[in-house]
Amino acid sequence: MSLFIDTLRGKRGPRPPVWLMRQAGRYLPEYRALREKSSMLEMVMTPELACEVTLQPLRRFPLDAAIIFADILTPLIGMGSRLEFKKGEGPVIENPVRSAADVAKLRLPAPAENVQYTLDAIRLVVGELGEKTPLIGFSGAPFTLSCYLIEGQSPGDLERTKAMMVADPAAWHALQEKLVTLCVEYLVAQAEAGCRSLQVFDSWLGHLGPREYERFVEPYLVKVFHEVRKRADVPVVFFATGVTGLFPQLARLDAHAFGVDWRVSLPQALRLLGREVPLQGNLDPQILAGPWEYVERAAREVLAEGASVPAHVFNLGHGVLPHTPPENVQRLVDLVHRRSA
Ligand code: 1CP
């Protein structure tokens, strides 16, 4: 039994469960120490290291879930992308996808071949965590993965992505079909390896308006949820930022719960979604990095709002920032744990 899993399935417990997006990462000195010796990709691709980094925040804080240390971009390597994480620049893909011919060249190896290192890391983490703390697996959504593949770097204003969408729809749709398969197979494989929940990250979706979302993205995202729910019996969360204007459309996804960023209140998000569904969020990560007195006030406000929606998983509205004091994370987790509904 797990408070986190029950809450995602719509069952309210004595308090909201809490985990934080990017809870493993540069704000932790023990992460930076390992990172000095290995690159980001080496850490992801070495199951023992990925397992260690996944567990680091759990050793410090009594979090209610762990998330496997990987990246939404690592499965693209097996498709043929030459991916690097460059210091100060973020991800760079040396051979971006710019044409139908580039799309045709993308391979679709099975997860056991493509991301065996992550599946092995999941088995190690699950062995360490046992029954008590569930592990979350994740994937980038087809749209956000397309943004990185096409732009070849942090997507910016999505100039080339939107150009392909409208100027070469055949290439766009062929790319989406491949990425739906990648995403579904990757998520199902993570559940089979022991993940008890899955999260789909569509971090760049907020750059689209509702009409282009409906035409170029929605059919594929619907398919991802439909297929994953058919094949894996674990709750699946959808997360994107800046998508308040797309909530009426996103509500049609067969997701167990929705992650909400800090730009909208939880009750307002629920009204826009228009259906009774558990929500996850939504403290502003920038606030968490500031003075504790204000963090406390803001966190209590999130808790109060969370009490008015069908079920609430406490989280940030986006990932933990590198300049966040670990002390604030400690106090935040304690604050949520002291809360009983
Ligand atoms: O040490 C370092 O320099 C690496 C920084 C880092 C980390 C810790 C990157 C590079 N990825 C990760 C791990 C990661 N990425 C996790 C692991 C688990 C955890 O949360 O503890 C997760 C869930 C992700 C997901 C991810 N990667 C997303 C979706 C969520 C989001 O933040 O919107 C995205 C967009 C990425 C791409 C990515 N990877 C790394 C960076 C710096 C970026 C963003 C670059 C950009 O601005 O486009």
Side-chain angles (χ1 to χ4, degrees):
M1 275 300 95
S2 148
L3 192 59
F4 173 63
I5 302 296
D6 286 350
T7 305
L8 290 182
R9 291 201 182 275
K11 209 169 102 206
R12 215 172 231 297
R15 63 164 173 87
V18 53
W19 73 279
L20 305 179
M21 290 185 278
R22 294 278 177 98
Q23 64 192 24
R26 279 177 298 171
Y27 76 105
L28 289 177
E30 57 272 34
Y31 175 88
R32 292 197 300 270
L34 283 179
R35 188 66 177 73
E36 263 172 32
K37 289 176 269 172
S38 312
S39 72
M40 162 71 190
L41 284 178
E42 280 164 357
M43 286 170 62
V44 171
M45 292 181 173
T46 311
E48 293 72 21
L49 275 179
C51 171
E52 170 59 23
V53 174
T54 301
L55 295 175
Q56 280 179 345
L58 281 287
R59 294 204 184 98
R60 275 184 183 250
F61 320 118
L63 294 153
D64 295 301
I67 180 162
I68 190 64
F69 187 77
D71 195 84
I72 62 164
L73 303 178
T74 42
L76 302 180
I77 297 171
M79 296 188 94
S81 295
R82 292 195 294 277
L83 169 73
E84 265 186 80
F85 289 97
K86 295 212 167 138
K87 234 193 169 82
E89 276 180 68
V92 177
I93 294 174
E94 257 177 63
N95 53 340
V97 170
R98 297 280 161 81
S99 65
D102 293 339
V103 175
K105 273 189 269 175
L106 291 172
R107 296 189 297 269
L108 273 174
E113 184 190 327
N114 184 3
V115 288
Q116 193 185 13
Y117 48 85
T118 295
L119 302 178
D120 286 343
I122 289 169
R123 287 184 276 262
L124 288 178
V125 172
V126 169
E128 295 273 335
L129 288 174
E131 284 296 294
K132 208 185 96 212
T133 311
L135 178 64
I136 304 165
F138 66 90
S139 173
F143 176 74
T144 286
L145 294 177
S146 304
C147 295
Y148 284 97
L149 280 172
I150 295 168
E151 306 293 337
Q153 59 186 17
S154 189
D157 59 7
L158 270 53
E159 185 180 331
R160 291 175 189 271
T161 307
K162 292 186 185 182
M164 184 191 282
M165 223 159 69
V166 299
D168 195 351
W172 175 263
H173 291 294
L175 178 59
Q176 301 316 298
E177 290 290 357
K178 282 193 163 174
L179 291 172
V180 167
T181 304
L182 179 85
C183 180
V184 170
E185 297 299 330
Y186 186 37
L187 289 168
V188 170
Q190 291 178 82
E192 286 170 351
C195 289
R196 283 156 68 196
S197 170
L198 298 169
Q199 180 155 317
V200 176
F201 285 98
D202 214 347
S203 308
W204 290 84
L205 190 58
H207 288 252
L208 286 190
R211 284 172 295 279
E212 283 68 40
Y213 170 76
E214 287 177 2
R215 268 175 220 136
F216 297 103
V217 176
E218 184 175 30
Y220 303 104
L221 204 48
V222 164
K223 201 164 163 187
V224 166
F225 279 89
H226 184 75
E227 293 294 315
V228 171
R229 290 200 59 165
K230 241 180 12 197
R231 290 173 52 192
D233 186 24
V234 301
V236 192
V237 182
F238 178 78
F239 173 78
T241 63
V243 291
T244 309
L246 296 179
F247 275 155
Q249 285 80 5
L250 292 171
R252 302 196 281 251
L253 297 174
D254 203 2
H256 290 82
F258 288 89
V260 176
D261 76 12
W262 66 90
R263 294 173 181 90
V264 57
S265 73
L266 294 175
Q268 174 70 356
L270 195 75
R271 278 193 291 276
L272 290 167
L273 284 163
R275 69 173 166 101
E276 291 293 294
V277 68
L279 298 183
Q280 174 176 283
N282 69 344
L283 183 70
D284 184 339
Q286 212 65 257
I287 297 296
L288 180 63
W292 170 253
E293 292 63 37
Y294 196 86
V295 179
E296 184 174 9
R297 174 179 177 179
R300 287 188 193 285
E301 287 163 349
V302 171
L303 283 167
E305 289 183 4
S308 76
V309 301
H312 177 219
V313 174
F314 195 101
N315 204 313
L316 304 183
H318 205 164
V320 180
L321 296 164
H323 63 288
T324 306
E327 164 90 2
N328 280 9
V329 175
Q330 177 73 60
R331 295 172 88 170
L332 177 70
V333 174
D334 288 345
L335 179 91
V336 179
H337 276 230
R338 280 199 307 272
R339 172 81 165 215
S340 40

